[in-house]
Amino acid sequence: SDTVRYPMLLNSCFALELLLSLYFVVQWVQRSLSHKVPPADSRADEVLCCFFLVTYVVNAMRSQFAVAYALQFTALITLFTVVPTFLNPPGDEAAWFSFSYLRVANAVNAY
């Protein structure tokens, strides 16, 4: 059935995705100006990306794990913003450029 079992949980998840995606974009703007990523910010990015992976799985479940979901614009944005975060070597302050600015599209789509 198409009924949502836990609408408050789902709405909270999307509201959090909206806020964290906007924060991720603001971080990208700051890094594009300073051209460096402090180690603490790198760890914070990894925590945020873990949350983004959770929302990715929630949305995949909502679409019943259809292959077409993985090709949707917002799903691709998650891939292009999350995967590189975990592939950066630890302590690499020069890894300031990323596709984090694309999270703004996910923030708009969250609601």
Side-chain angles (χ1 to χ4, degrees), residues 53-69:
L53 285 176
V54 168
T55 59
Y56 180 87
V57 170
V58 166
N59 285 323
M61 287 183 343
R62 288 178 61 210
S63 67
Q64 300 174 350
F65 295 101
V67 175
Y69 170 73

Side-chain angles (χ1 to χ4, degrees), residues 47-102:
V47 170
L48 289 176
C49 285
C50 287
F51 175 78
F52 295 144
L53 285 176
V54 168
T55 59
Y56 180 87
V57 170
V58 166
N59 285 323
M61 287 183 343
R62 288 178 61 210
S63 67
Q64 300 174 350
F65 295 101
V67 175
Y69 170 73
L71 299 175
Q72 286 181 357
F73 184 64
T74 55
L76 291 173
I77 287 173
T78 299
L79 285 176
F80 290 134
T81 57
V82 170
V83 173
T85 299
F86 292 111
L87 294 179
N88 286 336
D92 184 11
E93 289 190 9
W96 61 270
F97 182 77
S98 68
F99 293 110
S100 300
Y101 62 91
L102 293 174

